[in-house]
Amino acid sequence: MPENKGAVSRRRFIKVLGGAAAVAGAGAIGLSRCDQMPQEAVGAWSGPGPGESEPRRRALSYALLAPNPHNQQPWIADLRQRDAVTFLCDPVRLLPDTDPFSRQIVIGCGAFLELLSMAAAEQGLRTDVTYFPDGEWRDGQMGNAALCRVAFTPDKNVARDPLFVQVLRRRTNRNAYSEITMTEAEAAQLASALQASSVQFGWTADAKKCAELRAHAERGWRIELDTDAAYLESVRLYRITGSEIAQHRDGLSLNGPFVWWAHRTGMLTHEKALALDTSTRAQSFEFVARQIRNTFSFAWLSTGSNDRRAQLDVGAAYVRLNLKATELGLAIGPLSQVLQEFPAMLPLREQNKKLLGVPDAHTVQMFVRA
């Protein structure tokens, strides 16, 4: 399916302690000339720069392409220890209103670590991960203690991952999807890409079930929009038009000819959105509702526990699923709203579990369009 160029990520840097930022090479994606995406905004998708030879920094240049909530890119890499990276979560890049327990942020970190290990293996390096080297996180400790320390060791027997070739091609596709549903064989191939035995994969293309899930997902999106704190958390991260995307390199990208025109005419501005303008909120609803209504297969990931290690395993599983989907020519994109844990969403979160047939004691960690 065609790539959603209006939603393409534009990461190019990572906060590094003990060295300059890890910077990817240059690249370009052509868009309408009235909202041209600047080259520097999409440079990360060309891989590390040609002059980058330090193995850890090369690996980081791929890891920073990991999918993560609201494209917050919450990673801080400490390179001051030789042949190792200590990884922390940036406390200013959390999402307290839509992700109050940072479950989704940690899932994004798990995706980051999976790509880091895959990129290291390409260089003949084994990664050995020590989780929470300063002790398990306590409430409110996000960003104040290390998530993990990753040691890089030369290993001529380390296996290169065949999915690595998809890293620079992987995208989150937020287009309306066609009515061609995922097949049982394709679902089985997606499931085979997951390596963590703690993560369960489920899917459906049943027409009746998918109709229920579409209606459920749309209700979740409405609740998020109608909850001012949750809605404004997203609005503050709007990056409207290519120039803002290039300036910030994070957040929720909005660009293309219509966005450019709406911004120039004052129909779509930060000021209106932050003032809870009803027309802007209605436009936001229709933008995502159209995606939901044009979805005819769904998939999900669940776990028997919901501790931080389980969440990291889910992140690794999800990015592998995403890479496998890229290999198969499938489009996938997350529908996170109905899994959020702020009070207004909790009833829908429980209903989602029942609709999917996930056991009560388990946690649905990812719910995606496919």
Side-chain angles (χ1 to χ4, degrees):
M1 294 185 183
E3 172 190 319
N4 179 7
K5 295 186 178 178
V8 68
S9 298
R10 57 269 164 207
R11 305 173 186 84
R12 190 169 183 231
F13 62 89
I14 179 171
K15 187 179 291 186
V16 171
L17 304 180
V23 180
I29 292 178
L31 295 174
S32 168
R33 73 186 69 179
C34 67
D35 193 16
Q36 185 72 34
M37 180 74 81
Q39 290 189 8
E40 65 270 23
V42 292
W45 298 100
S46 295
E52 185 57 79
S53 59
E54 209 281 339
R56 296 172 301 169
R57 290 162 53 82
R58 287 186 62 84
L60 288 168
S61 293
Y62 290 102
L64 59 83
L65 298 176
N68 62 104
H70 281 44
N71 195 23
Q72 279 294 77
Q73 305 170 49
W75 21 78
I76 298 175
D78 185 339
L79 303 180
R80 290 175 291 190
Q81 180 180 339
R82 183 181 176 87
D83 298 326
V85 177
T86 298
F87 175 43
L88 299 96
C89 231
D90 191 338
V92 305
R93 291 181 173 270
L94 305 182
L95 300 165
D97 292 305
T98 54
D99 186 28
F101 304 112
S102 298
R103 180 186 61 83
Q104 295 179 84
I105 285 286
V106 173
I107 289 173
C109 294
F112 176 96
L113 292 172
E114 181 68 10
L115 293 188
L116 185 74
S117 293
M118 292 170 69
E122 287 294 303
Q123 303 175 79
L125 296 169
R126 184 183 76 248
T127 51
D128 298 306
V129 183
T130 302
Y131 294 99
F132 306 107
D134 303 321
E136 288 277 352
W137 280 342
R138 297 184 297 274
D139 290 344
Q141 201 178 22
M142 289 283 291
N144 297 321
L147 172 66
C148 66
R149 183 169 294 115
V150 183
F152 290 70
T153 305
D155 184 347
K156 64 181 181 181
N157 296 318
V158 68
R160 297 171 64 177
D161 197 308
L163 289 178
F164 180 76
V165 297
Q166 308 299 334
V167 171
L168 298 181
R169 297 182 59 231
R170 184 206 67 80
R171 300 291 188 274
T172 294
N173 190 315
R174 295 187 176 88
N175 285 326
Y177 293 174
S178 73
E179 294 190 34
I180 302 172
T181 60
M182 187 164 64
T183 68
E184 187 170 346
E186 289 166 337
Q189 290 184 75
L190 290 182
S192 72
L194 278 59
Q195 293 184 334
S197 60
S198 60
V199 182
Q200 288 81 51
F201 172 83
W203 78 287
T204 185
D206 177 79
K208 181 180 179 181
K209 177 66 70 176
C210 286
E212 294 175 332
L213 291 172
R214 286 194 295 270
H216 183 72
E218 195 167 324
R219 286 195 296 272
W221 178 227
R222 172 60 74 187
I223 287 174
E224 181 177 309
L225 281 180
D226 288 346
T227 305
D228 289 350
Y231 171 62
L232 289 173
E233 187 167 75
S234 297
V235 166
R236 294 186 187 101
L237 293 170
Y238 281 0
R239 310 304 184 211
I240 304 173
T241 74
S243 60
E244 282 197 6
I245 291 169
Q247 176 186 352
H248 294 283
R249 320 281 183 89
D250 65 357
L252 303 170
S253 62
L254 302 171
N255 78 297
F258 175 76
V259 171
W260 179 87
W261 176 81
H263 186 59
R264 287 291 296 269
T265 59
M267 292 176 58
L268 177 60
T269 66
H270 289 285
E271 292 75 17
K272 289 185 70 173
L274 290 169
L276 301 176
D277 172 68
T278 55
S279 63
T280 303
R281 194 176 280 198
Q283 290 173 20
S284 297
F285 177 78
E286 284 302 320
F287 178 76
V288 174
R290 182 176 66 90
Q291 300 168 15
I292 294 170
R293 293 165 191 160
N294 286 274
T295 302
F296 303 93
S297 309
F298 291 90
W300 55 91
L301 299 177
S302 61
T303 56
S305 63
N306 191 27
D307 57 21
R308 296 303 190 187
R309 282 299 307 275
Q311 293 161 11
L312 290 167
D313 286 347
V314 169
Y318 177 69
V319 75
R320 296 187 64 82
L321 182 151
N322 206 166
L323 294 170
K324 189 66 176 182
T326 303
E327 178 184 279
L328 297 173
L330 300 175
I332 66 171
L335 284 172
S336 301
Q337 291 80 19
V338 293
L339 302 184
Q340 291 168 349
E341 293 140 309
F342 62 89
M345 195 68 75
L346 292 179
L348 260 71
R349 180 178 171 85
E350 289 305 309
Q351 291 169 23
N352 177 263
K353 187 185 298 185
K354 289 180 171 56
L355 283 172
L356 300 180
V358 172
D360 288 343
H362 288 214
T363 300
V364 181
Q365 301 280 9
M366 294 294 302
F367 177 53
V368 303
R369 310 164 61 225

